Amino acid sequence: MVEEDGFRRPLRVLVWGENKQDQEEEVRQVYPLTMHETIAAALRRLLGERARVETATLQEPEHGLPPARVAETDVLLWWGHVAHNMIADEVVDRLQHRVQQGMGLIVLHSGHLSKIFRRLMGTNCHLRWREGGDREILWPVMPDHPILRGISRPIVLSRHEMYGEPFNVPAPESLLFISNFSGGEVIRSGMCWTRGQGRIFYFSPGHETHPVYHHPAIQRVLANAVQWCAPRCPPVTLEESPQCPEGWFEQDAD
């Protein structure tokens, strides 16, 4: 819930999916509803009346992210992989502005190479990877953080794609998870930043051919992250740089 004009209203959550690999038979066997609809269904169940959860995809006009829809979104979840360069720059500009105003952003798995995440991080966001069947253990390292509420032990994924260090992102403000893989690699798999008034959470699990988003603990982390990323107060920003004469702040004083 967020407060608006003195009233409490549900969070407006938008799950964005690239929706390209979702159409491949191998992926459809794991996610018959698509990945974005699977995530959205889990959030609806876990958040209930606290959130209104919708989905959008690359194939919709303006990638499902027209100005009015972005303006009313409190938290955006982003899953992309093979079509990062298809996102129009004006849409990226729009999303960056909204994050700086206070919209929360949750970037999932290969979304680390999305235009919006790279823009907000200011780096190329490259990492090591290996597609296969590694065992991944996600170790919670900041157990008192709100995103880890209800996560009392490591999350074990029996088979997953390996993501490994070095991961070229700025040092996080909070490091929530470190993952290790059966091949010996490690990665900072859950990290938080702020940009302007907006909160950002990157969470690395989520390869399309593994049932990661069906995992109850992964779903719980995402539901917690939505609540943590939600705007905390109305935006207070200067849309331009006004010239102010001496004593401007006293003109309306009693």
Side-chain angles (χ1 to χ4, degrees):
M1 293 280 189
V2 295
E3 187 166 324
E4 188 173 88
D5 298 328
F7 297 94
R8 301 281 287 176
R9 63 162 176 78
L11 289 172
R12 296 175 295 211
V13 180
L14 185 61
V15 182
W16 189 90
E18 195 176 83
N19 198 35
K20 290 181 70 69
Q21 291 178 290
D22 302 73
Q23 308 310 314
E24 299 173 3
E25 182 58 32
E26 183 181 13
V27 180
R28 289 176 66 88
Q29 290 179 9
V30 181
Y31 294 104
L33 298 178
T34 70
M35 281 179 284
H36 51 279
E37 291 293 351
T38 299
I39 294 169
L43 294 178
R44 293 182 189 115
R45 176 174 51 82
L46 291 170
L47 296 175
E49 295 182 355
R50 288 170 288 176
R52 186 192 74 195
V53 183
E54 298 180 348
T55 62
T57 64
L58 174 71
Q59 293 75 24
E60 299 173 40
E62 297 192 70
H63 318 316
L65 299 166
R69 194 174 202 186
V70 172
E72 69 172 15
T73 298
D74 295 313
V75 181
L76 174 66
L77 293 89
W78 188 278
W79 195 102
H81 190 189
V82 298
H84 299 309
N85 290 335
M86 294 180 66
I87 306 300
D89 288 340
E90 56 265 31
V91 172
V92 179
D93 294 342
R94 188 178 302 155
L95 296 177
Q96 179 185 12
H97 182 66
R98 275 292 291 135
V99 169
Q100 291 170 332
Q101 283 187 320
M103 181 183 76
L105 177 66
I106 300 171
V107 178
L108 302 172
H109 192 55
S110 46
H112 68 92
L113 291 179
S114 63
K115 284 185 177 182
I116 182 59
F117 190 61
R118 286 177 160 186
R119 173 85 65 84
L120 290 165
M121 293 297 104
T123 61
N124 64 23
C125 300
H126 285 307
L127 47 72
R128 298 181 186 274
W129 64 279
R130 177 177 59 254
E131 188 171 342
D134 277 75
R135 181 176 186 245
E136 178 180 359
I137 304 177
L138 294 101
W139 295 91
V141 296
M142 195 174 176
D144 59 343
H145 194 282
I147 292 178
L148 296 184
R149 187 177 297 116
I151 306 299
S152 59
R153 62 183 66 188
I155 302 172
V156 180
L157 304 176
S158 59
R159 292 176 60 84
H160 197 228
E161 180 180 25
M162 185 281 291
Y163 274 8
E165 298 286 348
F167 187 1
N168 187 22
V169 292
E173 295 164 24
S174 299
L175 174 61
L176 306 190
F177 286 101
I178 297 174
S179 287
N180 69 284
F181 295 85
S182 49
E185 296 88 356
V186 299
I187 191 169
R188 293 164 292 166
S189 49
M191 292 181 277
C192 301
W193 299 265
T194 55
R195 293 292 184 269
Q197 296 183 67
R199 289 177 166 181
I200 302 168
F201 176 54
Y202 173 75
F203 195 42
S204 68
H207 186 64
E208 65 273 9
T209 60
H210 299 291
V212 174
Y213 296 125
H214 294 295
H215 195 297
I218 298 294
Q219 294 177 352
R220 170 53 60 189
V221 169
L222 295 182
N224 289 346
V226 164
Q227 296 175 92
W228 179 80
C229 285
R232 290 149 289 168
C233 58
V236 180
T237 58
L238 289 175
E239 299 299 332
E240 55 185 24
S241 297
Q243 184 179 10
C244 297
E246 183 178 354
W248 66 270
F249 55 87
E250 297 176 326
Q251 292 176 3
D252 296 327
D254 293 333

